[in-house]
Amino acid sequence: MSDLHVLTRKLFRKNDSKIVLFVADGLGGLPLEPGGKTELESAHTPNLDALTFTGTLGLSVPVLPGITPGSGPGHLGLFGYDPLKYNIGRGVLEALGIDFELGPQDVAIRGNFCTVDENGNITDRRAGRIASEIGAKLCEKLDSIEIPDVEVFVRPVREHRLVIVFRAEGLRGEVDDTDPQQTGVPPLDPIARDKDSNPTANICKQFLKQAAELLKVDHPANLLMMRGIAKRPEIPTCGDLYGLRAAAIAVYPMYRGLARLVGMHVLDAGSTMDDQIGQLEEVWNDYDFFFIHFKYTDATGEDGDFEAKVARIEEIDAVMPRITSLKPDVLIVTGDHSTPSKLRSHSWHPVPVLLVADSCRPDQCSSFGENQCLNGGLGQFKSKYLMSFALAHSGRFEKFGA
Amino acid sequence: MSDLHVLTRKLFRKNDSKIVLFVADGLGGLPLEPGGKTELESAHTPNLDALTFTGTLGLSVPVLPGITPGSGPGHLGLFGYDPLKYNIGRGVLEALGIDFELGPQDVAIRGNFCTVDENGNITDRRAGRIASEIGAKLCEKLDSIEIPDVEVFVRPVREHRLVIVFRAEGLRGEVDDTDPQQTGVPPLDPIARDKDSNPTANICKQFLKQAAELLKVDHPANLLMMRGIAKRPEIPTCGDLYGLRAAAIAVYPMYRGLARLVGMHVLDAGSTMDDQIGQLEEVWNDYDFFFIHFKYTDATGEDGDFEAKVARIEEIDAVMPRITSLKPDVLIVTGDHSTPSKLRSHSWHPVPVLLVADSCRPDQCSSFGENQCLNGGLGQFKSKYLMSFALAHSGRFEKFGA
């Protein structure tokens, strides 16, 4: 546990305040041309802009300068965890996201069904994106695989994606992916990165051998690859660290899984933003902290669709009045990382932050955008401190020292 | 010792330069309404504003983002110590502040006389703020308490406040306060937080039992409570770390105590700012570094009196010409933390810093205020680096590395 958590655990106090953390995934962007505006700056956001008058802006750095985070590190930072200390494997996230109850001994793996030709070379890394029902049936078949002294669980996610969990005493998770990230070659062997992970690598091999046999009649899903082989990390909950009863209102499995990992209560979020805000309104009295996750700013950024990302940001702006009418003591609108549509991928650029509370020291900013954030009162800060700001502004921290 | 100190100790060189650190306690503030000005921004400060022309502005973060410091951590930061590494108990500060010579074995305690009713419940946590002479007499009485194998010292501070020191081999200081921070309940027991502190907790119990007996005729001061039970920390001096002959010109005991703890020579400061500046002028040739502490910006902030805090800031502005006419090589005006009158308490907001030296790289700022500081050349930085800036600008650092 880091110094920061020693401090938060010691200083937190409980009260009746409400904190809303609205995460627009991949919010930060870039202009398409020098001198132009970013997606956030291009969007018409009268509600967010009005909030900058009472709020404070800033830019958060998810991991370290120049480092592009995945969704796991990005969100851990926002929840106040140093992403360099708590490394969460993809397999673990996927398992949590389908409500699989991971035990402390479990090793979880994200699987992808794929297509291989007669030489064993991969021709499609997603097996033609088979329908979810087909994937589910194949998983049922694989769930019957038996490995001595190991409990094996195989669960479908959606389409070609699945989760494999090995449960046995003393397993470690340091094993390389078998997905070669390209076609025309066979899958890689699962290689242990340390000696203690050799048993896990051997279990992976046995599983893959049996799976190949079972799947050979199931073209196009006639094989599978493994990614993000990992053990569930030991991670303190946000109840322990901050004294918060926290709720997550997220549609996508990975974000639900992340929230569950840090001890949030994961609510039924429906499938639209309207559903999500409706859920927020419904449970408003039951929690102290609300994490709302909106995926589509990232998805449109990854598609390289500048205009679509702008439109998604305007969708967020449109629901702000519903959130502010609940009168949260602290409202934060930010992202877990930047996803500039110009780059079609996550990026390392600092992430715009808007924090609104009565105790804000207002800055000179008048609209919510990257350039304005650069002059914001929060400055540029590591995103792991965002939660400290939230707790401070909600009166949930005691003074440190006499 | 932190990395920073390894460096300062290795790099410092001595010269004839003079550094003045003027600490306006709780200087940072907030506007009463969004769009308004802070106390510092509202104050008429022609002298400070003029100094921004040659100087550089910035904002310091005393501990970590979102963390509100007490006076101890706030000042340690300004003196170049990481407040997370050097935790100074309230009792230790109080003892140092009344010139009590704490030994390395001593456990020091801040005591408060209080009033209890016939059921032992506290009715006044400050015993009606008894006169200092009465408090002194009661301390004399308590000083007679005898505990086997322990030297006991009881000394008055002022009004209902006192200091208790236990001197014995191997005592530890991890014992909880007995002040319940509320009335209508009895004082708490002194509970050891670790096994090694059990002997100290037992000594506290024996002392409190005898004190109760002695004080029962002294209504309204018919009992006492203990706070900030702590051992003196091992802390390197500013002579060791920076090669400075440092003087403190502070009126209030706690700040005198803090300065003494880091090896400053604590001077007779009189009781007014005029006395303090007079003392500065008098000893100008005898020291390299001068810490001047002004309490009333914090006191007015804690009173929630915006206008009074503005007036106190204008008082500071008025003495600047007397300080600058001494021609310090480096003049710093800052606070140990923010105390916005809007919040009536210390806060986590970054603290305005004005640093004036010939070697400043001027920024575009033209007045001393929080918003200008946001655009200042020092940026936002941890206050533990302020001393490094002072040493650098006074030519007291060698180059690091070849």
Side-chain angles (χ1 to χ4, degrees):
Chain A
M1 198 165 59
S2 65
D3 282 354
L4 175 59
H5 286 169
V6 172
L7 215 54
T8 64
R9 206 191 270 271
K10 179 176 161 181
L11 298 182
F12 81 70
R13 65 176 166 210
K14 298 183 179 185
N15 61 27
D16 294 332
S17 63
K18 305 283 186 191
I19 301 167
V20 174
L21 172 64
F22 189 105
V23 177
D25 204 300
L27 179 64
L30 287 174
L32 293 177
E33 299 296 337
K37 290 178 171 183
T38 67
E39 296 92 328
L40 179 57
E41 289 164 353
S42 303
H44 179 63
T45 53
N47 295 309
L48 290 166
D49 295 348
L51 288 170
T52 65
F53 182 66
T54 40
T56 308
L57 299 185
L59 289 166
S60 76
V61 176
V63 184
L64 284 175
I67 304 301
T68 296
S71 302
H75 277 82
L76 280 189
L78 294 178
F79 300 154
Y81 299 81
D82 188 332
L84 292 169
K85 296 209 177 194
Y86 298 99
N87 200 356
I88 299 173
R90 179 73 173 235
V92 170
L93 279 184
E94 293 280 346
L96 291 168
I98 57 166
D99 290 314
F100 188 92
E101 287 283 338
L102 274 187
Q105 303 278 358
D106 294 0
V107 167
I109 301 164
R110 151 82 182 263
N112 272 18
F113 289 112
C114 63
T115 313
V116 291
D117 63 19
E118 60 279 11
N119 301 315
N121 292 327
I122 300 163
T123 58
D124 186 336
R125 288 177 51 249
R126 293 179 185 84
R129 288 191 185 273
I130 47 166
S132 295
E133 309 85 71
I134 296 178
K137 282 208 176 118
L138 296 176
C139 286
E140 219 172 293
K141 187 153 112 175
L142 297 178
D143 197 43
S144 67
I145 288 176
E146 291 188 1
I147 298 172
D149 302 324
V150 182
E151 269 191 278
V152 176
F153 305 87
V154 182
R155 298 286 180 269
V157 179
R158 61 169 74 176
E159 298 176 340
H160 56 285
R161 294 186 281 265
L162 64 150
V163 165
I164 304 149
V165 175
F166 300 135
R167 180 171 296 166
E169 201 75 27
L171 287 188
R172 303 246 311 156
E174 300 298 311
V175 177
D176 282 347
D177 291 0
T178 74
D179 181 352
Q181 299 279 351
Q182 55 178 311
T183 56
V185 296
L188 304 169
D189 271 340
I191 309 285
R193 287 189 295 276
D194 61 29
K195 220 179 59 179
D196 294 342
S197 297
N198 276 329
T200 306
N202 286 331
I203 293 166
C204 291
K205 272 181 214 159
Q206 291 177 60
F207 179 89
L208 288 167
K209 195 174 166 195
Q210 291 190 51
E213 195 59 33
L214 289 170
L215 294 174
K216 73 182 171 194
V217 297
D218 294 304
H219 190 279
N222 61 356
L223 202 63
L224 70 85
M225 304 177 298
M226 290 175 163
R227 293 166 63 179
I229 300 167
K231 223 177 141 162
R232 179 185 165 135
E234 285 177 41
I235 192 163
T237 68
C238 47
D240 285 348
L241 295 176
Y242 315 128
L244 291 174
R245 296 171 303 162
I249 307 177
V251 174
Y252 275 66
M254 185 187 293
Y255 311 97
R256 298 165 62 82
L258 262 164
R260 192 174 286 117
L261 188 68
V262 298
M264 293 189 196
H265 190 185
V266 176
L267 305 180
D268 176 16
S271 61
T272 66
M273 176 118 73
D274 192 55
D275 294 339
Q276 289 178 276
I277 305 299
Q279 179 64 281
L280 175 70
E281 290 161 344
E282 200 164 304
V283 301
W284 186 248
N285 292 321
D286 304 336
Y287 298 93
D288 309 310
F289 179 94
F290 305 87
F291 158 54
I292 304 173
H293 180 266
F294 183 71
K295 176 68 179 171
Y296 303 101
T297 30
D298 178 61
T300 49
E302 293 216 319
D303 288 344
D305 192 339
F306 192 99
E307 288 310 322
K309 188 171 171 190
V310 169
R312 290 305 197 168
I313 292 168
E314 292 176 351
E315 245 181 80
I316 294 168
D317 187 75
V319 300
M320 281 301 129
R322 281 181 71 187
I323 297 178
T324 52
S325 71
L326 293 167
K327 303 198 184 309
D329 297 274
V330 178
L331 167 62
I332 295 169
V333 181
T334 187
D336 56 335
H337 52 73
S338 293
T339 304
S341 42
K342 180 176 178 174
L343 303 182
R344 296 174 170 268
S345 67
H346 291 200
S347 81
W348 62 92
H349 299 86
V351 186
V353 179
L354 163 62
L355 187 153
V356 188
D358 268 353
S359 46
C360 279
R361 183 184 282 165
D363 41 37
Q364 299 302 307
C365 304
S366 56
S367 66
F368 188 32
E370 285 82 348
N371 258 292
Q372 293 266 320
C373 287
L374 198 50
N375 298 315
L378 298 174
Q380 294 202 31
F381 61 97
K382 286 193 183 164
S383 62
K384 68 175 175 178
Y385 294 119
L386 184 65
M387 194 58 106
S388 301
F389 283 129
L391 292 165
H393 281 284
S394 61
R396 286 175 174 270
F397 267 152
E398 303 283 352
K399 187 165 68 174
F400 172 66
Chain B
M1 197 165 59
S2 68
D3 283 355
L4 174 60
H5 287 168
V6 172
L7 217 53
T8 64
R9 206 192 271 270
K10 179 175 163 180
L11 299 182
F12 81 70
R13 66 178 166 207
K14 297 185 179 185
N15 62 26
D16 293 333
S17 64
K18 305 283 186 192
I19 302 168
V20 174
L21 172 63
F22 189 105
V23 177
D25 204 299
L27 179 62
L30 287 176
L32 293 177
E33 298 296 337
K37 291 177 169 183
T38 67
E39 296 90 330
L40 180 56
E41 289 165 352
S42 301
H44 179 63
T45 54
N47 295 308
L48 290 166
D49 293 349
L51 288 169
T52 65
F53 182 68
T54 40
T56 309
L57 300 186
L59 289 167
S60 75
V61 176
V63 183
L64 284 177
I67 303 299
T68 296
S71 302
H75 277 82
L76 281 188
L78 294 177
F79 300 154
Y81 298 81
D82 188 332
L84 291 170
K85 296 210 177 194
Y86 298 100
N87 201 352
I88 298 173
R90 179 74 173 232
V92 170
L93 280 183
E94 293 280 346
L96 293 167
I98 55 166
D99 292 314
F100 188 93
E101 286 285 338
L102 273 186
Q105 302 277 0
D106 294 0
V107 167
I109 300 165
R110 151 83 182 263
N112 272 18
F113 288 111
C114 63
T115 312
V116 290
D117 64 19
E118 61 277 12
N119 301 315
N121 292 324
I122 300 163
T123 56
D124 185 336
R125 286 177 54 246
R126 293 179 185 84
R129 290 189 184 274
I130 47 166
S132 295
E133 309 84 70
I134 296 178
K137 281 210 177 119
L138 295 177
C139 285
E140 218 172 294
K141 185 153 114 174
L142 296 178
D143 199 41
S144 68
I145 287 177
E146 291 188 2
I147 297 172
D149 302 324
V150 183
E151 270 191 277
V152 176
F153 306 87
V154 182
R155 299 286 180 270
V157 179
R158 62 169 73 178
E159 297 177 341
H160 57 285
R161 294 186 281 264
L162 64 150
V163 165
I164 304 150
V165 175
F166 299 134
R167 181 171 294 166
E169 200 75 26
L171 286 189
R172 304 246 311 156
E174 300 297 311
V175 178
D176 283 347
D177 291 359
T178 74
D179 181 352
Q181 299 278 351
Q182 55 177 314
T183 55
V185 296
L188 304 170
D189 271 338
I191 308 284
R193 286 189 296 275
D194 61 30
K195 219 180 59 178
D196 294 343
S197 297
N198 276 329
T200 305
N202 285 331
I203 292 165
C204 291
K205 271 181 216 162
Q206 292 177 58
F207 179 89
L208 288 168
K209 195 174 165 195
Q210 293 191 49
E213 195 58 32
L214 289 170
L215 293 174
K216 74 183 168 193
V217 297
D218 293 304
H219 191 278
N222 60 357
L223 203 63
L224 70 86
M225 304 179 297
M226 291 174 163
R227 294 166 64 178
I229 300 168
K231 224 178 139 160
R232 180 187 163 132
E234 287 178 38
I235 192 163
T237 68
C238 47
D240 286 347
L241 295 176
Y242 315 128
L244 291 173
R245 295 171 303 159
I249 307 176
V251 174
Y252 274 66
M254 186 187 291
Y255 311 97
R256 297 165 62 83
L258 263 163
R260 191 174 288 117
L261 189 69
V262 299
M264 292 190 196
H265 189 185
V266 176
L267 305 180
D268 176 16
S271 61
T272 67
M273 175 117 77
D274 191 55
D275 294 339
Q276 289 178 278
I277 305 300
Q279 180 63 280
L280 175 72
E281 289 161 345
E282 200 165 305
V283 301
W284 186 248
N285 293 321
D286 304 335
Y287 298 93
D288 310 310
F289 179 94
F290 305 86
F291 158 53
I292 304 172
H293 180 265
F294 183 70
K295 176 67 179 171
Y296 303 100
T297 28
D298 178 62
T300 48
E302 293 217 318
D303 288 344
D305 192 339
F306 191 99
E307 288 309 323
K309 188 171 171 189
V310 169
R312 290 304 197 169
I313 293 169
E314 292 176 350
E315 247 181 79
I316 294 168
D317 188 75
V319 299
M320 282 301 129
R322 282 180 71 187
I323 297 178
T324 52
S325 70
L326 293 168
K327 302 198 185 308
D329 297 276
V330 178
L331 167 62
I332 295 169
V333 181
T334 187
D336 55 336
H337 53 74
S338 294
T339 305
S341 42
K342 180 176 178 173
L343 301 183
R344 296 173 170 267
S345 66
H346 292 199
S347 82
W348 62 93
H349 299 86
V351 186
V353 180
L354 163 62
L355 187 153
V356 188
D358 268 355
S359 46
C360 277
R361 181 186 285 165
D363 41 37
Q364 300 302 309
C365 303
S366 56
S367 66
F368 188 32
E370 286 82 349
N371 257 291
Q372 293 265 320
C373 287
L374 196 53
N375 297 314
L378 299 175
Q380 295 202 31
F381 62 97
K382 285 195 184 164
S383 62
K384 70 175 175 179
Y385 295 118
L386 183 65
M387 193 58 107
S388 301
F389 284 131
L391 292 165
H393 281 285
S394 61
R396 286 176 174 270
F397 267 154
E398 302 284 351
K399 186 165 66 176
F400 173 66

